[in-house]
Amino acid sequence: MATDQAQSEAATSDTYEEFEQRVRRISNVSNAAGILQWDQEVVMPEEGTPARAQQLSALSSIGHELLTDDETGELLAELESADLSDEQAAVVREVRRRYDRETSVPQELVEEISETTATAHPTWKQAKDEDDFEQFAPTLEKLVELKREYAEHIDPDADPYEVLFSDYEPYLDLETAERVLEKLRDELVPLIDAIDESDADIETDAFAGTFEDDDQEALARDVLDSLGYDWGRGRLDTAPHPFSSGTQFDARVTTRFEEDDLLGSITSTIHEFGHANYTLGLPDEGYGTPLGEARDLSVHESQSRLWENHVGRSRPFWEHFLPIARERFPSLEDVSPEAAYEAANQVHDDNLIRVEADELTYHLHIVIRFEIERDLISGDLAVEDVPEVWNDKYEEYLGVRPETDAEGCLQDIHWSHGSFGYFSTYSLGSVLAAQLYDAAEDDLGNLDDDIRAGEFGELNGWLRENVHQHGKQFTTPELIERATGEEYTAEYFLEYVKSKYGELYDLEEY
């Protein structure tokens, strides 16, 4: 009996080892593609695109073939009935989910979506440049149809938008996302209206001036030094659209510099630090498996938003960092920490562009996109009606109306990529950031003194212990409950913004 059990355990161990080796190969192919994509965004010569497209296509095909191979399916089936550790079971769960989705969609449909998105980008760009939605409308309509078909293959009984949403957030269901976003809409609109009517005189020009790119880069490095970025496993570069990418051994940050927007480069750098810091906190021993990968987009965004907003837009941070900024830019000598804090948190009453939005109104930009693409996928909204519906929602939720499609429904690149279901993770992550920060302060005490002193080790240690080190071992709801002791909720975010902006804008009702 004991011999039989030992033999069974040995067979399971051998099977799991073979499975893990396959998973690591798939991961390494994907990580190699990630380096090529980083290179394309940051340093690749302009004429390198034809070769790079073929390289990325080849790596994508190799990864897809490894994942969807019959041997992968056989190993999954054998392991799902085996006695595995919790960590091993989590790896099997995550790979099974990917395997089922990728084997459900016919290869010809995958190729058609890929070809359509490849041509959609230049079509969208031209339509935006010429302020002409009708140029992009036929392509958008085709992408909507293709994505409906894609969802149908994965789960014909589910809401197609829910299937697409789960590509980006597999364990927070669509009902939860809708409930959170509706609550944000219902409570942020009156808060923003109250701010619009406020007579509070806050500082808005603390960072007015012209700032050289080289000096801004030096300050960006100061920011990263101050926060504790691991330069041995990272680097700073510039990109037109800032991003962070990599693994726990190599997590790179990009930012951008505009000569009249010093504050923007600071907050962008802190935001991308949050992403890279999460990646660097993933366990080394989990590399190449889901145990060493981040837990999807909402959790990833929670890390960037926590550092950008709860730390980088706080009073204590500017008390700490303003003297450092003054060393690089003596023109800031007369700016007080309070003025810097106010400028970093001003709410704009006329902003039409999502990527330029303040911390508060940003979420209504997300709600608008979420509602529109949900109705597009369900068939409740015709593509030709998107510009009018977009403009109406901006007027209703934000009190501004786009005068052009370029500053309206053509401003974002995501739909040209076929990325329906992606936008909501920005707000879902911000909501989670507030819940995590509150839980950290429950455990560590008020963090203002640490931030004021430029000491971020305790906060980062808490995040490492409660979020980063777990990789994908737990589902998103499980991870949130383990870290905070509660289910996912918007209450902490709403309490945070009402308190912060109520005080900043002298709102008695808040």
Side-chain angles (χ1 to χ4, degrees):
M1 183 81 171
T3 302
D4 290 345
Q5 182 176 353
Q7 289 175 340
S8 175
E9 290 175 354
T12 296
S13 178
D14 290 344
T15 301
Y16 186 82
E17 183 177 349
E18 180 183 354
F19 170 73
E20 188 176 279
Q21 288 176 351
R22 175 172 285 262
V23 171
R24 289 183 186 276
R25 286 198 297 272
I26 296 168
S27 178
N28 279 317
V29 169
S30 176
N31 290 335
I35 291 294
L36 289 181
Q37 289 168 334
W38 173 90
D39 178 87
Q40 184 173 8
E41 292 286 334
V42 177
V43 296
M44 188 187 78
E46 291 183 8
E47 301 300 320
T49 301
R52 185 54 45 85
Q54 293 183 48
Q55 294 156 5
L56 289 170
S57 177
L59 289 174
S60 177
S61 295
I62 292 169
H64 177 77
E65 289 164 7
L66 283 169
L67 177 62
T68 60
D69 188 82
D70 289 344
E71 186 175 347
T72 305
E74 292 165 4
L75 289 167
L76 282 167
E78 187 172 344
L79 288 169
E80 283 170 331
S81 60
D83 185 16
L84 302 175
S85 69
D86 291 344
E87 292 83 359
Q88 290 172 334
V91 173
V92 171
R93 178 195 69 219
E94 294 298 319
V95 177
R96 164 59 77 182
R97 182 182 178 281
R98 285 189 59 199
Y99 175 85
D100 286 348
R101 290 177 84 84
E102 293 204 23
T103 56
S104 296
V105 183
Q107 185 61 26
E108 55 269 24
L109 177 58
V110 173
E111 292 174 358
E112 186 175 6
I113 291 172
S114 178
E115 291 170 2
T116 304
T117 55
T119 59
H121 177 263
T123 302
W124 162 79
K125 188 176 185 304
Q126 181 174 338
K128 182 180 179 182
D129 290 344
E130 298 180 8
D131 185 29
D132 183 8
F133 178 77
E134 290 185 5
Q135 288 188 42
F136 182 57
T139 299
L140 178 58
E141 190 156 6
K142 184 176 182 181
L143 284 169
V144 168
E145 291 170 357
L146 289 172
K147 283 296 189 170
R148 285 181 188 147
E149 187 178 348
Y150 167 89
E152 175 78 12
H153 282 289
I154 291 174
D155 189 346
D157 298 322
D159 175 348
Y161 189 67
E162 184 169 8
V163 175
L164 300 179
F165 170 75
S166 67
D167 272 346
Y168 307 103
E169 188 45 74
Y171 296 110
L172 280 179
D173 57 62
L174 181 61
E175 183 180 350
T176 297
E178 289 177 328
R179 183 174 66 251
V180 167
L181 292 173
E182 286 170 5
K183 192 168 184 64
L184 294 187
R185 180 195 64 200
D186 293 345
E187 301 207 23
L188 293 185
V189 168
L191 174 58
I192 292 167
D193 287 344
I195 289 171
D196 286 344
E197 295 170 3
S198 169
D199 294 327
D201 183 21
I202 74 165
E203 174 63 58
T204 60
D205 296 325
F207 295 94
T210 300
F211 308 92
E212 295 294 329
D213 284 5
D214 289 348
D215 294 327
Q216 288 198 53
E217 180 177 348
L219 187 62
R221 292 181 180 277
D222 290 337
V223 170
L224 295 172
D225 283 339
S226 180
L227 296 175
Y229 184 54
D230 185 352
W231 292 103
R233 297 191 180 199
R235 55 179 291 128
L236 173 68
D237 295 274
T238 59
H241 304 284
F243 68 98
S244 170
S245 67
T247 70
Q248 52 267 68
F249 296 101
D250 177 3
R252 307 177 183 190
V253 168
T254 67
T255 191
R256 65 181 173 191
F257 307 120
E258 296 180 12
E259 66 174 14
D260 61 348
D261 188 16
L262 178 63
L263 181 61
S265 72
I266 294 171
T267 55
S268 173
T269 301
I270 298 174
H271 180 98
E272 298 307 334
F273 163 81
H275 283 303
N277 187 58
Y278 179 18
T279 303
L280 291 169
L282 297 167
D284 289 358
E285 63 274 15
Y287 173 76
T289 78
L291 298 176
E293 296 172 357
R295 176 72 287 166
D296 305 313
L297 292 185
S298 294
V299 176
H300 228 314
E301 192 67 15
S302 77
Q303 300 306 287
S304 61
R305 292 292 178 178
L306 186 151
W307 286 99
E308 177 190 354
N309 294 329
H310 294 267
V311 175
R313 294 186 193 272
S314 70
R315 277 193 179 90
F317 178 80
W318 285 104
E319 291 174 26
H320 154 67
F321 191 69
L322 189 59
I324 298 173
R326 288 187 188 126
E327 291 181 11
R328 298 290 182 188
F329 297 101
S331 61
L332 299 176
E333 188 61 39
D334 294 332
V335 175
S336 68
E338 181 66 20
Y341 168 74
E342 292 180 1
N345 290 285
Q346 62 181 298
V347 176
H348 302 283
D349 61 3
D350 59 351
N351 184 270
L352 293 165
I353 308 300
R354 176 184 63 86
V355 296
E356 298 173 0
D358 56 78
E359 179 188 13
L360 197 58
T361 61
Y362 181 86
H363 300 287
L364 296 179
H365 290 260
I366 297 303
V367 168
I368 289 166
R369 287 153 177 77
F370 175 81
E371 292 179 350
I372 287 176
E373 64 180 26
R374 181 186 57 188
D375 290 346
L376 276 173
I377 297 299
S378 70
D380 292 335
L381 175 63
V383 167
E384 64 185 15
D385 295 329
V386 165
E388 183 178 2
V389 171
W390 179 290
N391 295 348
D392 288 346
K393 286 182 180 290
Y394 262 76
E395 189 165 18
E396 179 183 359
Y397 297 168
L398 286 163
V400 291
R401 189 175 186 87
E403 296 183 1
T404 67
D405 292 339
E407 63 181 10
C409 61
L410 288 174
Q411 67 179 264
D412 294 300
I413 197 174
H414 298 63
W415 288 343
S416 72
H417 291 162
S419 299
F420 301 101
Y422 183 100
F423 279 116
S424 58
T425 61
Y426 291 128
S427 287
L428 297 176
S430 295
V431 165
L432 178 54
Q435 187 172 349
L436 289 171
Y437 194 82
D438 185 87
E441 289 204 313
D442 274 350
D443 288 347
L444 302 174
N446 188 286
L447 291 166
D448 284 359
D449 287 344
D450 282 354
I451 296 171
R452 190 176 291 111
E455 296 174 357
F456 303 102
E458 281 204 67
L459 173 58
N460 203 31
W462 189 93
L463 293 169
R464 289 279 194 268
E465 179 181 351
N466 291 282
V467 179
H468 305 172
Q469 69 165 333
H470 298 302
K472 287 184 175 178
Q473 181 176 351
F474 305 110
T475 65
T476 305
E478 290 170 345
L479 182 66
I480 294 170
E481 189 147 5
R482 287 177 65 91
T484 70
E486 298 179 81
E487 294 182 352
Y488 179 59
T489 175
E491 295 305 321
Y492 292 99
F493 174 79
L494 290 168
E495 180 182 334
Y496 156 71
V497 294
K498 288 176 181 178
S499 173
K500 178 178 182 176
Y501 290 97
E503 183 266 341
L504 191 62
Y505 281 90
D506 298 329
L507 306 178
E508 293 183 4
E509 63 269 42
Y510 291 95

